[in-house]
Amino acid sequence: MKIKFLIGMLMVSFIFYSCNEGNKDKDSETTEAKADESKFNYNVEQFADIKVLRYEIGGWDELTLKEQKLAYYLTQAGLSGRDIMWDQNYRHNLAIRTALEKVYSDYKGDKSSPDWTSFETYLKRVWFSNGIHHHYSNAKIKAEFSSDYLKQLLADSEATLEGEAFDVIFNDKDAKKVNKTKDVDNVLLSAVNFYGPDVTTADVENFYENMKSPDSEKPLSYGLNSQLIKENGVLKERVYKSGGLYGSAIDEIIKWLELAYGVAENEAQGNALGLLISYYKSGSLQTWDDYNVAWTAATEGNIDYINSFIEVYNDPVGYRGSYETVVQIKDFDMSQKMAVLSENAQWFEDNSPLMDDHKKKNVVGVTYKVVNVAGEAGDASPSTPIGVNLPNANWIRSTVGSKSVSLGNIIHAYNNAGSSGRLKEFVNDDEEYELEKKYGQISDKLHTALHEVIGHASGQLNPGVGETKETLKKYASTLEEGRADLVGLYYLYNPKLQELGLVDDWKSIGMTAYDGYIRNGLMTQLIRLELGDDVEESHMVNRQWVSAWAFEKGAADNVIEKVTRDGKTYFNINDYEKLHGLFGELLRETQRIKSEGDYEAVEALVEGYGVKVNQTIHAEVLERNKQFTSAPYSGFVNPVITPVMEGEEIKSFNIIQPETFAGQMMDYKKEYTFLPIKN
């Protein structure tokens, strides 16, 4: 599970999850953050709807050389698999990227024309999204230049792009990477390359329906690391492994992981790395579970990592994992301050509004750390999570535990990249504005922590109920994200946070969090959508159904008031106590849905409150947003960790910050292209 830094309750600049938590689109409205007074420049460039930032690797100089080597080897392993994510996203992505990059490097013609500027912007957008579909909306990115112009560029650059791979840039085919629209064949109409072009939703469900795990109490993650295709009409998995699908890139990953294994900080960490290497070699899902158990238990050391096929958000039916990596350095001071949450996980579970049968009697193995990112790749880059909770398997969470992290230096970079000014436009009054200025950042951080540490670790399935990908199907991800959001919201307005020493004024923190969540869920996140679009991305959907449900259910008591003033709409919370109660009611119901596998209830909740947009408000929000130039989406270039050699030995490392986004992407082309290109 992961939290992404978006417009909602948790985006620290406008905002995860693994939960890449995508809980707050502060890139959309943003706390009035001041630029850092240090000399570090967090901003790289802005184009289209994207802002590219930099981050510093905090704590690097405090590491030993051996620990630095471990972090370096893990980042190299991660980057070695970046092509996998591109191919997973769409079958023609690598061919398109290769051709466009050759044009970018070799074209000698006029680079001052509007057409060239449009081409360059298109390429940057494709880079940012790891393919031709928007990283967040999943819609195909529109080329603002003609097919004739691209043909000219290709010819002049001696680059080749033909047939469907060329045509798809300009036609209406494969319009959505992930299509979760109700009452359509979601697999057949999704362009994501997890399935063959003729595989249907029914094919997928039938293929896995009769697969039984050797141990029913420990269900294997069937489908997680494979592509499902039809071969002569027969369904077949193509497994991601050495010697299998993506084998050439996976061999590079293994090479670097073996180097990392040689400098592991301790036995537990080394055992986990050894199992990850075995998994990449065999593709065995049993080994994947063995690895996750070992990785979850390996909590000592200064370096940790996420690596492999993990999150299923990009699969319209929730089976297949996207490749991602995050390499982490522990922030000792902040981790110690926030450890109180994981230490009190059982209290939060016992005092939640869940039905008794749905509460865990023994919350085990929950750890929480604040970390500094040393490198990211795949689905975690350039658009990055701000919080992560793993592993995703419910049985491992219940019996072994989970790891939760907040990406401290990423959040710091967002907070210091400057304000968009949108906050003042969309708050209802000065009191709301001042609360957000004073408490916005700490409430965001606490919501991220509660979402990841307490939210995803809470609750349990009823005996005999299958995994949520089987019971709740395409709604599983948004239900889980909303449920974790609600855990955070419920406890943000609770004196326990002050009792634990996390805040000085729990009520103001809670009020700020509630204001921001409702404002985002009902209004400001809409700046990310084209007028007339439905909400489709799982995190945006969950923020809307939580907010819209609370608005409707509290209408009789005017808990949340819709205010119209000078032709503008605002939402004002009149009764925070009652809203707290409503969040508790909805949390209880979402856990019931998950615990019982109630598909009809989750469909009614999500489709009834989370998908359709009030077009009048949407048009108004877009109009009010026109005054702001700051882009609604942000992502990062990665610092380049460069070894300083003496002969064959690494003696130290230099950290180099990329000057431009395009420069880093072209460097990656030279250094990390390991998959064959098929046109």
Side-chain angles (χ1 to χ4, degrees), residues 391-496:
N392 284 330
N394 282 304
W395 76 264
I396 299 178
R397 290 174 180 274
S398 297
T399 60
V400 181
S402 62
K403 288 180 178 177
S404 296
V405 296
S406 291
L407 310 187
N409 59 336
I410 296 296
I411 294 171
H412 181 78
Y414 276 124
N415 284 340
N416 288 281
S419 168
S420 72
R422 289 184 177 90
L423 176 64
K424 189 74 172 177
E425 174 63 34
F426 290 102
V427 295
N428 178 55
D429 54 30
D430 289 342
E431 179 185 8
E432 184 179 336
Y433 178 71
E434 292 301 325
L435 280 172
E436 180 65 32
K437 282 181 64 179
K438 186 172 183 179
Y439 298 109
Q441 291 189 23
I442 183 61
S443 71
D444 289 341
K445 290 177 182 178
L446 282 171
H447 196 187
T448 302
L450 287 164
H451 175 114
E452 297 293 354
V453 184
I454 308 302
H456 286 303
S458 71
Q460 61 185 3
L461 300 180
N462 286 359
V465 174
E467 294 293 298
T468 55
K469 69 183 179 184
E470 301 162 354
T471 59
L472 306 183
K473 302 181 182 180
K474 67 180 180 181
Y475 301 114
S477 291
T478 191
L479 191 281
E480 178 60 18
E481 292 311 310
R483 192 187 67 84
D485 265 5
L486 285 161
V487 172
L489 291 168
Y490 186 75
Y491 283 116
L492 277 165
Y493 195 77
N494 191 298
K496 184 68 174 179

Side-chain angles (χ1 to χ4, degrees), residues 225-297:
N225 65 334
S226 66
Q227 181 191 56
L228 187 64
I229 63 169
K230 281 183 180 176
E231 197 170 84
N232 299 319
V234 178
L235 289 166
K236 172 187 175 182
E237 284 187 324
R238 302 175 69 202
V239 178
Y240 313 150
K241 64 175 183 175
S242 178
L245 187 57
Y246 303 139
S248 55
I250 288 172
D251 287 342
E252 285 292 321
I253 296 170
I254 291 171
K255 178 185 79 175
W256 289 105
L257 289 178
E258 288 176 339
L259 290 170
Y261 175 82
V263 292
E265 296 177 88
N266 51 63
E267 184 179 1
Q269 189 182 71
N271 289 341
L273 282 166
L275 285 166
L276 181 58
I277 292 166
S278 296
Y279 168 63
Y280 272 127
K281 289 180 177 180
S282 69
S284 164
L285 291 171
Q286 182 58 63
T287 304
W288 171 246
D289 279 357
D290 294 342
Y291 159 71
N292 275 283
V293 169
W295 176 83
T296 302

Side-chain angles (χ1 to χ4, degrees), residues 29 31 131 154 159 167 215 257 315 373 434 445 452 477 649:
E29 76 171 30
T31 300
L154 292 167
D167 295 340
D215 184 345
L257 289 178
D315 184 344
V373 171
E434 292 301 325
K445 290 177 182 178
E452 297 293 354
S477 291
E649 293 293 317

Side-chain angles (χ1 to χ4, degrees), residues 6 31 36 63 92 118 128 153 169 175 205 346 380 413 434 470 473 500 522 588 655:
L6 313 168
T31 300
D36 191 349
L63 299 176
H92 293 307
S118 295
F128 192 90
L153 292 179
I169 295 174
E205 292 174 349
Q346 191 66 57
E434 292 301 325
E470 301 162 354
K473 302 181 182 180
L500 294 175
L522 295 180
R588 180 184 178 95
I655 307 296

